[in-house]
Amino acid sequence: MALIYIDLQTTDPAFNLAAEEYVFDILPRDHDYCMLWQNDNAIIIGKHQNTLAEINSAFVEQHGIRVVRRLSGGGAVYHDMGNLNFTFISNAGNTEQLDFRLFCQPVVQVLETLGVHAEVSGRNDMTIDGKKFSGNSQYIRNGRVMHHGTILFDSDLSVVSRALQVDPSKIQSKGIASVRSRVTNVRPYLPKDTSLPEFRQLLLQEIAQQQDSIPYTFTAEDIRAIEQRKEQRYNCWDWNYGASPACTLMKKQRFDNCGSIEAYLNVERGLIQSVTFRGDFFSVREPDELAQHLVGFPPERSALRDALANINTRHYFAGLDILEFLDFLCE
């Protein structure tokens, strides 16, 4: 069976995930497919995860990071232009077992040729010197398997840790939490410095050597269909946030001019269902009235700012202005 490879040049995470789904569902099943692609400044959430429990919402909003949910399970990952993603799509036969090693082998082999010893490790990782540089996940349906993985080649690891940093004491989630590992980039281990575009070409060559391969470029019809899937799923708040399991967010802070405030937010399908305030603050109106203005909105700064546009927070928390209150709820 010939392998068709698609070297995607777009860095739009919603389009790239829609392209994966399109290839998986629509392109002929008498071929295997390989895709290489990159996302710029994005967090990709596993299908069964609670988005709010995986991301540092304030950091994400401040830095314009796109958040998109994928079809497969597994943990949340941060993508920047120092990260390379690969996808294999093929027939799974009658198996319902996830075989990560098979699809990771081309990456391990390329690194060996470059003088780097890498291993397929644990459940779904690839490591160098015991440090994770690649996380992988799979999606199986109707006798077909989609395997995709990341390669941290030259990513900004400080952003990775901050974008995915959530205080576990402040959230109780029914989603599947990511397991954080020690991570590393590939580039520092290369005996001879290699750029990411050069590595990308070497990986394509290795894949092509292992199997008869044919390049493919999406047609105008393909792109229209992918754009439609993008808008119907991957650009939708309902999919990226609303598909999250229920959770409880807890915020606690002491303010010099106000006192201590605790806020307990029950969130379902990404929307606030109820809020309870506790603390030693003073108020001239009941905080429960303020809480009602938050119901039905996502716990994000821009949405809550709109919800409280005509509200004077000092009536409910003496000495606390609206900007401080938004900081409290959203950081």
Side-chain angles (χ1 to χ4, degrees):
M1 181 183 296
L3 174 74
I4 292 178
Y5 66 86
I6 303 168
D7 196 11
L8 281 174
Q9 297 303 311
T10 174
T11 60
D12 176 359
F15 182 91
N16 288 334
L17 290 176
E20 279 191 319
E21 184 184 10
Y22 175 79
V23 173
F24 185 87
D25 285 344
I26 302 301
L27 291 191
R29 295 169 65 102
D30 56 353
H31 292 287
D32 293 338
Y33 296 88
C34 171
M35 303 167 63
L36 293 184
W37 47 287
Q38 290 179 276
N39 290 330
D40 188 15
N41 203 31
I43 292 175
I44 309 302
I45 301 291
K47 181 179 181 180
H48 308 297
Q49 293 191 294
N50 189 310
T51 302
L52 294 172
E54 294 298 323
I55 67 172
N56 180 339
S57 296
F59 186 87
V60 164
E61 183 172 356
Q62 180 182 355
H63 291 82
I65 298 172
R66 299 275 300 278
V67 178
V68 187
R69 187 185 300 276
R70 63 178 182 266
L71 287 174
S72 62
V77 288
Y78 174 75
H79 292 176
D80 63 13
M81 293 303 291
N83 178 78
L84 179 64
N85 304 293
F86 63 95
T87 303
F88 289 100
I89 296 171
S90 66
N91 289 329
N94 296 322
T95 183
E96 295 183 356
Q97 299 297 315
L98 301 178
D99 183 357
F100 290 95
R101 187 172 297 273
L102 173 67
F103 297 102
C104 292
Q105 203 56 44
V107 179
V108 171
Q109 186 60 41
V110 168
L111 290 174
E112 288 288 350
T113 64
L114 294 174
V116 178
H117 178 65
E119 297 179 313
V120 182
S121 174
R123 184 181 62 148
N124 60 332
D125 298 338
M126 284 186 278
T127 60
I128 299 172
D129 194 26
K131 298 178 182 179
K132 175 179 174 178
F133 72 89
S134 174
N136 296 262
S137 59
Q138 291 186 354
Y139 173 70
I140 294 179
R141 193 183 67 187
N142 298 331
R144 201 81 165 144
V145 58
M146 176 197 296
H147 175 112
H148 40 204
T150 62
I151 301 172
L152 289 171
F153 189 84
D154 195 21
S155 288
D156 186 339
L157 299 183
S158 68
V159 176
V160 174
S161 62
R162 294 173 69 188
L164 297 175
Q165 185 180 59
V166 178
D167 185 347
S169 69
K170 294 185 178 180
I171 186 165
Q172 297 177 11
S173 172
K174 296 181 182 178
I176 306 301
S178 294
V179 177
R180 307 295 178 213
S181 307
R182 290 189 306 157
V183 297
T184 189
N185 281 310
V186 169
R187 194 169 190 172
Y189 291 88
L190 296 170
K192 178 183 176 183
D193 191 35
T194 303
S195 69
L196 181 51
E198 290 170 335
F199 180 80
R200 185 171 182 155
Q201 287 305 309
L202 290 171
L203 184 55
L204 274 177
Q205 291 171 16
E206 175 64 27
I207 293 166
Q209 288 176 3
Q210 292 188 7
Q211 194 171 348
D212 293 338
S213 59
I214 305 167
Y216 182 78
T217 302
F218 286 133
T219 66
E221 181 181 355
D222 291 332
I223 292 173
R224 282 193 297 271
I226 292 169
E227 287 286 355
Q228 184 177 29
R229 286 173 181 251
K230 168 186 164 181
E231 295 305 319
Q232 290 176 345
R233 188 194 298 272
Y234 300 100
N235 256 3
C236 290
W237 182 92
D238 280 348
W239 171 251
N240 295 323
Y241 284 87
S244 296
C247 68
T248 300
L249 297 171
M250 191 277 280
K251 308 285 186 174
K252 183 177 181 179
Q253 190 171 340
R254 182 168 185 83
F255 301 89
D256 290 340
N257 297 327
C258 177
S260 64
I261 305 176
E262 296 177 9
Y264 299 86
L265 295 82
N266 292 316
V267 181
E268 293 185 17
R269 297 190 60 80
L271 298 177
I272 296 171
Q273 304 299 311
S274 65
V275 185
T276 302
F277 293 107
R278 296 286 184 268
D280 61 5
F281 54 87
F282 296 100
S283 63
V284 296
R285 301 183 67 169
E286 286 298 323
D288 288 349
E289 294 179 14
L290 177 65
Q292 291 304 309
H293 290 280
L294 305 176
V295 172
F297 289 87
E300 298 172 345
R301 188 182 184 89
S302 59
L304 297 186
R305 184 177 59 239
D306 292 342
L308 301 177
N310 300 313
I311 302 298
N312 185 346
T313 54
R314 295 179 187 273
H315 290 164
Y316 304 96
F317 306 101
L320 193 70
D321 66 30
I322 181 65
L323 295 180
E324 291 177 304
F325 184 66
L326 289 172
D327 288 342
F328 166 61
L329 286 183
C330 299
E331 291 186 357

